[in-house]
Amino acid sequence: MRKQGGPEVFRITGARQGLADDVRGRQRRYVISMSVRTLSVIAAAVLWNVERHVAVVALALGVLLPYIAVVIANAGRESAPSLPSTFMPAPVRPALGAGDGPAESGAERT
């Protein structure tokens, strides 16, 4: 028979991503954003005398990307409301009583 104060049961589907994995993902997003920024600044310098309007767009991208990269890198570890609850109560199985036995057929009753 199972005790009522049994261990808590947790759902793994509602668990958060590990902290090390979360930090690694943030660092990866930041490095990718800064790489795109570096490429856009280099493109602006190379294209300045060739295609000035493309160079201006690349320069604007190079100026705006640090702010965007920091905001994207700092986004994380928020609780996701769409995930199920991480705690699920243990299932309760009713105990058999003294009068509960195998079901009797209707023909044997008198």
Side-chain angles (χ1 to χ4, degrees):
M1 185 182 293
R2 188 176 180 110
K3 293 182 181 179
Q4 292 293 341
E8 295 178 343
V9 179
F10 292 93
R11 292 184 188 180
I12 192 65
T13 56
R16 283 182 163 182
Q17 184 181 23
L19 184 59
D21 293 335
D22 183 54
V23 170
R24 189 178 309 117
R26 289 188 206 191
Q27 288 174 343
R28 186 179 318 123
R29 288 190 302 261
Y30 185 78
V31 167
I32 290 171
S33 298
M34 287 294 101
S35 299
V36 170
R37 179 202 184 226
T38 303
L39 291 175
S40 67
V41 169
I42 291 171
V46 169
L47 296 173
W48 189 257
N49 289 327
V50 180
E51 288 287 329
R52 184 137 326 183
H53 63 279
V54 175
V56 170
V57 170
L59 190 60
L61 187 65
V63 169
L64 294 176
L65 265 177
Y67 173 75
I68 295 169
V70 168
V71 170
I72 290 173
N74 286 335
R77 300 301 291 180
E78 287 90 15
S79 60
S82 62
L83 291 176
S85 172
T86 56
F87 175 73
M88 182 177 83
V92 179
R93 296 182 183 169
L96 294 176
D100 296 337
E104 299 178 15
S105 65
E108 295 177 10
R109 289 189 209 166
T110 54

